[in-house]
Amino acid sequence: MSDKQAPTARRAPPGGSLLSLALASMIDGVDAHSGGLYLLSADESVLELEVTAGLPRAFAAPWERVGLSAPIPIADAVRERQLIWVGGEDEMARRYPRVAVVLPYPFALAALPVATESKVYGSVFVTWPGSHPHELSDREREQLTAACERLAVRLERAAEESRPVLPEADSLPATGRVADTLGSVEAVRMVARLPYGLCSLDLHGRITFANTAAAALIGVPVSRLLGTQLWAAVPWLNDPVYEDRYRAALISQHVTSFVALRPPGEWLSFRLYPSRTGLSVRVSRARSVSEMDRAVPSHDHGPSRLVTISQVLSLAGALTEAVTAQDVVQLVAEQIAPSVGSQALVVLGSRAGRLHVLGHRGYPDPQVVERFDGTPLSAPTPGVHALNSGVPAFFESQAELERLYPARHATPDGFAAWAYLPLIASGRPVGTCVLSYAEPHAFPADERAVLTSLGGLIALALERALLYDAKHQLAHGLQAALLPPSLPPLPGIDAAARYLPSTRGMDIGGDFYDLVPVDGLAAAVIGDVQGHNVTAAGLMGQIRTAVRAYTTVGQSPAEVMCSTNRLLIDLGADLFSSCLYLRLDPGRGRAVMARAGHPPPLLRRPDGRVRVLDLAGGPLLGIDSSATYPTTEVDLAPGSVLVLYTDGLVESPGVDIEDSLVELGRRLAEAGDRPLDELADVLVGQEGHAEERIDDVALLLLRARGVAGGG
């Protein structure tokens, strides 16, 4: 049978329990607490959880199916073909923060590949309580390795003999009612008579026994408690915090406890005594009710979580709304740093082989931070090391930091503890987040896991923000390159212009304008290509260039429009463009105009009267190759002002365009005598300060001042 077929023969011979028996034997052989066995899927890309032992399968629910590239121990064991050892919660938080966030409890873990010399079949993990030594003994290592090799050989034989492997049940220690374990009915009677509450939970958290005192304290009859989970049967215990204590006790095999408020005002203490078969729970009234007068239950012997699951979800949601890198810095400063007790922060970005300060908060002397700007990625600093290694670094005191990084003696920042979080997004380092603490600060394992996970959220938001910033700079650079950098001086004509990009899309669009001097005369053009994207901007640049070229070779306004129309059709861009073209003759006080589906210009006469010019015209450019564009001649006496604009200036949702034109004309009449730059700002009005614009706005103002000696 080929290697590709081997993994499909995944289950032991009919009637056998190859996997569960092998797993149970491994656990017993090294006095472990629990474990699980994975086999590779048929395509060898995913590890699938086949059986568990010692603890409910629900504890491993996030890892039922694991990709081989996942950063967790069982996948590492397969990829590296070796035993992976994690000696405790601190090491788990440092090396495997994704696991530590879900299981922030004291326990040790070993993961091994199930493999022959030629083929990997899967992997196994086993766990020990937190009391296990931090190092794996030689005996334990040898026994686990030999057991996995034996299992691999049996799987290989099963595949060669085409024996299918049947589904197997998980292996949990048998549990019974208290009468069975104590061996006599009298023992049960004795427990029932005790004045404090006692109940027993199986490994799934179900109540298998409760005495009368426990039922009285909890306020639920024994008959309604049996067979249910404590936090499901009692409404005021229906909180993930209490279930977390049950999980902590089972995984760590340490006594844990919590207090809970039974409405309306009685505090009860729950103390959980774990074993490999379940939990014994003692329920009593809390000794000092005044000390329990707080909203959050206390966890004896449990890690102090600074950030709850709801806070993480809230922060994740807030980070998705951050648009720019400065938005990310501000959000981290306002929401994340306070929630983890940090007093200051720096966000560093990686670019061109150096670290750059993207933002900082909380430092009395900003220069202390700014001198780290431009640090080479080869420098021996904690920020660089965290970024290059991808491993967070936590320094509980200044002495600890300076011992590892002596250079920090010369650059004190006034703080006493630090967390350096590498910001890795899509497998690529994007920067480092440094959280600083005013006092020496211990970083317990659960806090390290939470901070590392928050670093991942920050990294994704920062990567997106940096891409947005780069896109924004590119868009504005492209737009600036396609529009005239300045308006040329024209004989007898003053000019001013404004361009406001749409805030939707890429902040670039197809609106354009230009002024072209022509043999003592001048040409002006304004237009609007469909869309707010790179295609529209690129086509706009081609049209503007074409208009300038046709003007320079001496074509009339009608010819310029026809030539540009044919060019647009020949380009095959499937986009249309409106356009308004003017040939200005200030010496004669005349202007000749041609229009292609563009909004009509406004003319303010020297006496202050304003009218909308009713110009002849043709269809939009790019529709009909045979279209013609008639021209209209307009008086342009000295002091007259022409207002050329695109539809973004006069079109707004829910506002009639005629009303907008009337309002634009009113502003022009009132402010028409002002300098053109001031007039441009008046006409743009609120659009210039709007946070959202659904369309681009282009505005070109032309004021005739006449030409000395002109005829």
Side-chain angles (χ1 to χ4, degrees):
M1 179 172 287
S2 69
D3 285 350
K4 288 290 184 184
Q5 292 172 307
T8 61
R10 290 168 31 200
R11 300 190 160 92
S17 299
L18 170 60
L19 304 181
S20 57
L21 288 177
L23 179 61
S25 176
M26 287 185 213
I27 292 173
D28 290 342
V30 294
D31 198 28
H33 174 222
S34 66
L37 192 152
Y38 289 78
L39 292 182
L40 278 170
S41 61
D43 61 4
E44 301 187 1
S45 64
V46 174
L47 288 164
E48 298 177 336
L49 182 60
E50 297 295 330
V51 292
T52 64
L55 288 175
R57 178 179 284 253
F59 285 20
W63 307 287
E64 282 276 353
R65 289 173 53 84
V66 175
L68 285 183
S69 61
I72 63 175
I74 56 168
D76 282 357
V78 171
R79 289 197 308 271
E80 300 175 18
R81 296 285 294 262
Q82 65 179 8
L83 185 149
I84 303 296
W85 168 249
V86 184
E89 58 179 332
D90 287 343
E91 188 176 357
M92 184 69 78
R94 185 178 72 254
R95 294 174 57 191
Y96 300 103
R98 295 187 188 179
V99 177
V101 168
V102 180
L103 301 174
Y105 315 118
F107 69 98
L109 177 144
L112 301 90
V114 177
T116 62
E117 290 186 3
S118 60
K119 185 166 190 62
V120 177
Y121 288 90
S123 63
V124 166
F125 76 86
V126 294
T127 70
W128 290 263
S131 56
H132 188 280
H134 285 291
E135 296 298 330
L136 190 66
S137 70
D138 291 340
R139 183 190 69 82
E140 291 168 329
R141 184 181 296 270
E142 292 168 1
Q143 289 213 5
L144 287 172
T145 302
C148 286
E149 290 174 352
R150 288 194 299 271
L151 176 58
V153 170
R154 298 186 67 181
L155 288 171
E156 184 177 53
R157 289 175 182 170
E160 290 172 350
E161 297 171 8
S162 300
R163 289 185 284 120
V165 181
L166 300 176
E168 300 179 21
D170 294 330
S171 175
L172 291 178
T175 58
R177 300 177 72 88
V178 172
D180 301 324
T181 59
L182 295 181
S184 73
V185 174
E186 184 56 35
V188 177
R189 291 173 179 167
M190 177 192 71
V191 172
R193 289 193 294 265
L194 290 174
Y196 42 80
L198 289 175
C199 57
S200 178
L201 310 183
D202 65 14
L203 292 177
H204 293 285
R206 295 184 295 250
I207 300 171
T208 57
F209 170 82
N211 67 0
T212 304
L217 286 167
I218 295 172
V220 178
V222 172
S223 59
R224 284 173 48 194
L225 290 174
L226 294 178
T228 66
Q229 292 176 320
L230 187 61
W231 46 89
V234 184
W236 46 272
L237 288 176
N238 187 15
D239 188 308
V241 169
Y242 306 127
E243 184 179 357
D244 177 76
R245 293 294 83 205
Y246 141 78
R247 291 160 61 93
L250 281 185
I251 292 175
S252 69
Q253 291 291 289
H254 288 172
V255 176
T256 63
S257 63
F258 62 87
V259 293
L261 177 64
R262 174 188 168 182
E266 183 176 21
W267 287 95
L268 298 181
S269 173
F270 294 78
R271 196 161 184 84
L272 287 64
Y273 299 87
S275 74
R276 295 188 180 184
T277 60
L279 295 167
S280 296
V281 182
R282 175 175 171 173
V283 187
S284 61
R285 289 182 173 84
R287 291 183 178 180
S288 176
V289 175
S290 62
E291 294 179 3
M292 305 302 169
D293 190 16
R294 53 187 179 269
V296 180
S298 72
H299 300 165
D300 295 348
H301 312 298
S304 173
R305 251 177 227 244
L306 293 175
V307 182
T308 65
I309 292 175
S310 61
Q311 284 177 296
V312 170
L313 294 175
S314 174
L315 293 171
L319 283 167
T320 62
E321 299 175 4
V323 176
T324 67
Q326 290 306 308
D327 290 341
V328 175
V329 173
Q330 182 173 347
L331 183 66
V332 174
E334 293 179 353
Q335 297 196 35
I336 293 180
S339 69
V340 298
S342 170
Q343 285 74 45
L345 70 94
V346 185
V347 177
L348 302 168
S350 171
R351 186 177 72 253
R354 294 179 180 273
L355 283 178
H356 297 274
V357 176
L358 300 178
H360 56 84
R361 300 287 190 279
Y363 288 87
D365 183 4
Q367 293 183 355
V368 171
V369 179
E370 296 297 341
R371 61 187 162 192
F372 290 104
D373 192 64
T375 301
L377 292 184
S378 57
T381 68
V384 168
H385 184 265
L387 180 64
N388 289 337
S389 67
V391 178
F394 301 94
F395 302 96
E396 299 183 1
S397 66
Q398 184 174 350
E400 183 180 357
L401 176 62
E402 293 178 350
R403 178 169 38 82
L404 295 174
Y405 297 94
R408 281 303 295 262
H409 282 286
T411 57
D413 58 13
F415 289 90
W418 300 264
Y420 287 82
L421 308 178
L423 304 180
I424 310 295
S426 306
R428 186 178 67 86
V430 296
T432 303
C433 178
V434 185
L435 298 173
S436 302
Y437 298 77
E439 303 293 336
H441 182 86
F443 295 93
D446 68 323
E447 185 175 337
R448 295 185 182 208
V450 168
L451 288 173
T452 303
S453 296
L454 289 175
L457 295 177
I458 296 168
L460 292 173
L462 184 61
E463 179 188 47
R464 187 176 60 252
L466 291 174
L467 288 173
Y468 174 85
D469 288 344
K471 182 200 77 173
H472 201 258
Q473 293 174 4
L474 174 64
H476 281 265
L478 175 62
Q479 193 78 58
L482 293 174
L483 292 173
S486 62
L487 297 177
L490 300 175
I493 296 291
D494 293 329
R498 294 290 185 271
Y499 175 78
L500 304 173
S502 164
T503 58
R504 299 186 181 183
M506 286 190 64
D507 285 1
I508 57 176
D511 288 18
F512 66 96
Y513 59 85
D514 203 359
L515 282 180
V516 186
V518 187
D519 297 330
L521 305 178
V525 63
I526 192 167
D528 183 2
V529 179
Q530 285 178 298
H532 311 107
N533 51 36
V534 173
T535 302
L539 191 60
M540 172 266 280
Q542 291 176 297
I543 293 175
R544 177 176 162 245
T545 301
V547 169
R548 177 174 279 264
Y550 296 140
T551 299
T552 303
V553 299
Q555 289 190 357
S556 67
E559 291 172 332
V560 169
M561 294 293 272
C562 289
S563 298
T564 306
N565 177 53
R566 287 192 295 270
L567 172 68
L568 188 55
I569 292 173
D570 291 342
L571 290 174
D574 294 327
L575 292 178
F576 308 134
S577 176
S578 69
C579 189
L580 177 64
Y581 181 88
L582 295 76
R583 185 68 54 82
L584 302 164
D585 187 351
R588 296 178 56 240
R590 309 292 292 173
V592 179
M593 306 184 186
R595 185 164 70 102
H598 199 80
L602 300 182
L603 175 64
R604 183 185 189 273
R605 296 188 180 279
D607 59 8
R609 288 182 299 167
V610 174
R611 70 186 181 96
V612 179
L613 296 180
D614 184 15
L615 305 178
L620 294 169
L621 302 179
I623 293 179
D624 181 5
S625 61
S626 62
T628 59
Y629 297 90
T631 59
T632 303
E633 189 172 288
V634 177
D635 290 332
L636 196 63
S640 300
V641 178
L642 272 172
V643 178
L644 316 181
Y645 56 92
T646 56
D647 54 10
L649 185 64
V650 293
E651 289 186 357
S652 300
V655 179
D656 188 272
I657 191 171
E658 296 296 333
D659 295 337
S660 294
L661 278 174
V662 169
E663 173 60 21
L664 184 64
R666 183 190 64 77
R667 281 183 273 167
L668 175 60
E670 293 177 354
D673 292 327
R674 296 187 187 184
L676 284 189
D677 278 327
E678 292 184 19
L679 177 58
D681 292 336
V682 170
L683 297 184
V684 167
Q686 295 180 349
E687 286 295 324
H689 306 286
E691 293 185 1
E692 288 196 11
R693 282 185 296 273
I694 63 174
D695 201 359
D696 305 2
V697 174
L699 175 69
L700 181 60
L701 304 182
L702 304 169
R703 174 179 283 151
R705 65 173 188 270
V707 178

